[in-house]
Every structure is written in structure tokens, then in C-alpha cells.
Amino acid sequence: MAERIPTRLGDGSLVHMTRGEIEADLHDGTEAAARRAKVEPLGEDELDHLLDIFTSPARFSAVDIGHEVVLSIDGSGNRDINAPVLEQIVYQNHHGADIVEVWNSDYSYKAVKTVLSFQMQELKDTLLQTVVPVHYGAMPDLGRYSQPDGPAPNWSQLLPQGRIDEARAAQEEAMALLEADMWHTAEAAVATGADGLDFDTAAAAGDADFLATLHVTRRIRDAFPDFGVEIGMASEMVLGMHGQLEYEGVRLAGQWPLGQLRAVTAAGATIFGPAVNVNTTRSVAWNVARACTLVKPVTAEATIPVHMNAGMGVGGVPMTPYAPVDATSRVSRALVDILGLDGL
């Protein structure tokens, strides 16, 4: 009987699979991604390397010495001890973070605007106490501007009714409000001395959300040429909630990671964070093979640093609040080894 190897599903559950089953999952994952995104599947040597990683009996896996990458943390510090500045120091000194991020628990630029002065004081205090670069981060979160939470009509209600033009107009109205809030925060962060902004989970509400992020990124780049902008995506494909929006003549709806990279580069971003959502019912090996396949064209073409999103439910990391280290270490090593990432 073939040896059954302990491994994980996308929800973090411990399962046991044979080497042959893990190998089959790796092939299935890369082929699934290649079919959907119309990209090349991983090569046999890459799949063999992934197989070695996921069949190793070791508790922990890691890249080789000299192949370490930058760790940029969105939402660093978990508010566990209600001392946000101290938690940033802990992330820097003990967790090995190379870039930390000041953030608000209500993680959207709409909410941040209401407490901006307090957030900038926290940012200033963090800058005084740390050595590594410090970003300020939040989600664009376009949906916050729709009724009942915001002033714009709710396009998620209009679309099922077939009121397409009204839904598109509502998203465009919300975009203007979002861009104003993001720019307001950007000006404050620059004045406070931040090293950059993180537009995290961009395009979560679709192509209008993404376009607003690109517009503000370009505005920041033109006004503050040396200021960092990291754009971390919400998903491997941009949803066409509007469907007709373009950036520099290219439609945003339906963009896979390579198209997203080209858009954020054109807008002037300094770090790109592709995201590939996890299928919780498939193995971590399957999810990693799929993620690597979708992002490999990005690292082959990128002219700005690529920091893959590798957190809860993205990049192959299990969808669970405290992902097991046997899974996260294998995922991180696999992404770095196969993709040649600049960071995570």
C-alpha cells in the first residue's frame, strides 16, 4: 500500500494523500489555470519541484539561503494587545517584516477619512519608533459608497433588475467619492512622512473599484514622484460589475494577473501584489499549482517588484484565521522558488 502523506486542504483541514494523488493534483491545478486564463501550464521540472515540497515529511519548509525575499505586511499588528505602535515594532523586530503598515480596524478609505487625524498621529508615532519603511493602508472598498451605507444607488440591487445603465452610473458616482477620499488620505500620509500607501484588496467591487485605484495612483505619482504605492489585488480576475471601463484604452473587466500588472505599472504603482483565491475543497498543492500558473507570466514581464498576496485564503494559503505553519511555509517556498518573486 502506498504511503499516505499528511497535507492540507484549502480550508486548513489535515488530510492524508499518496504521492501519486498529490502529483495528480499538481497537474490538475496547473491545467485548470492554463485553460481559464489561456496561459502556459507549469513545466515538468517545476511540477517535480512542487511535488518534492509537498511530499516532504518535514514540519517546516523554506527557501535556500540567499533566496530570501522582502516581506511587506498589510495590516501588520493584529490589535491583540491594544498597543498598535508596539505591535509594529514586534513585527519589525521579531516577525521579520521588511515593510510594516499602519491601518484602521475599519479597513476602508471611506471610514479612515472620519478618523484621519488620529490615524496620522499613529502613523507619525510608528515612524518615530521603527526603522523599516512604513506604509499606510486600507481597502478602496467601492461598495461602501452605495446605499444604504453611502449616497450612490446600490448597483448590486439594480443589476438583477436589468437596470444596467443606472447600475453603471451609480458605480461612476461612487468612483468620484472614493477617489476623493483616497486622495485626501494620500495627501495626509505624505505630509506625515509615510513611505507609501497600500491600496489593499483592489478591485474587490469590480472594475470600477480598480479604475478608481488606478486614477489615484497616477495622481499620486504625478504629484509625489518618490512616494511608494503598493496595489494588492482582491482576486485573480477583475469582475466586470460595470463592464465598459478602460484604463489607457484597455478594458479592465476580465483582466487576469498579467493584465492587472500592466495596468498598475502604467498608473505608476511601485509594488504589485497579485492575488489568487483559494478553493477550500481542493488540496493546498492544487491551489499552489494553480496560483503559480496564473502569476508566472507576471514575474516574467514585470518591471516593478511583485509581492504575491500569500495570506488567509489567497496564494495557496488555507482559508483559516491561523493557517498551519506546515502549509504556509510550503506555500511561501513554492511561490518564491517557482515564480522568482521579489516579495510576499
Side-chain angles (χ1 to χ4, degrees), residues 56-71:
S56 166
R59 164 66 68 180
F60 190 90
S61 188
V63 299
D64 294 341
I65 294 173
H67 292 184
E68 299 88 349
V69 298
V70 171
L71 297 180

Side-chain angles (χ1 to χ4, degrees), residues 29-31 33-34 39-42 288-297 339:
T30 189
E31 289 164 5
V39 295
E40 290 297 317
L42 298 178
V288 166
R290 179 173 178 270
C292 286
T293 304
L294 292 173
V295 177
K296 188 178 176 184
L339 299 175

Side-chain angles (χ1 to χ4, degrees), residues 27-180:
H27 281 272
D28 189 38
T30 189
E31 289 164 5
R35 286 194 303 270
R36 288 296 303 276
K38 296 180 174 59
V39 295
E40 290 297 317
L42 298 178
E44 287 300 323
D45 56 337
E46 294 166 320
L47 291 168
D48 287 344
H49 185 60
L50 291 178
L51 184 61
D52 289 341
I53 292 173
F54 284 101
T55 57
S56 166
R59 164 66 68 180
F60 190 90
S61 188
V63 299
D64 294 341
I65 294 173
H67 292 184
E68 299 88 349
V69 298
V70 171
L71 297 180
S72 56
I73 314 294
D74 59 325
S76 51
N78 295 322
R79 300 293 196 263
D80 290 340
I81 57 177
N82 198 30
V85 176
L86 177 58
E87 290 198 26
Q88 303 295 353
I89 297 170
V90 169
Y91 265 66
Q92 171 190 268
N93 294 353
H94 302 288
H95 295 351
D98 298 298
I99 302 174
V100 296
E101 177 182 294
V102 174
W103 54 287
N104 182 259
S105 297
D106 202 348
Y107 197 63
S108 77
Y109 284 96
K110 180 174 183 280
V112 164
K113 185 178 180 180
T114 66
V115 291
L116 188 59
S117 61
F118 301 100
Q119 287 291 283
M120 292 303 104
Q121 183 62 57
E122 183 180 319
L123 174 60
K124 182 178 180 180
D125 293 342
T126 301
L127 286 161
L128 289 171
Q129 296 292 329
T130 54
V131 177
V132 298
V134 179
H135 286 175
Y136 187 83
M139 288 177 60
D141 209 359
L142 187 72
R144 293 281 191 112
Y145 297 87
S146 66
Q147 297 170 3
D149 299 313
N154 193 317
W155 51 90
S156 293
Q157 295 175 345
L158 295 170
L159 285 169
Q161 298 172 26
R163 298 160 67 182
I164 307 301
D165 291 340
E166 293 174 69
R168 286 173 172 156
Q171 291 175 74
E172 292 165 16
E173 178 184 341
M175 278 178 56
L177 299 170
L178 170 58
E179 289 179 25

Side-chain angles (χ1 to χ4, degrees), residues 266-286:
T270 51
I271 299 174
F272 174 55
V276 178
N277 288 316
V278 162
N279 183 330
T280 58
T281 66
R282 302 302 301 263
S283 69
V284 169
W286 183 93

Side-chain angles (χ1 to χ4, degrees), residues 326-339:
D326 52 273
T328 57
S329 63
R330 282 170 170 77
V331 170
S332 300
R333 179 186 177 185
L335 295 176
V336 172
D337 285 356
I338 299 299
L339 299 175

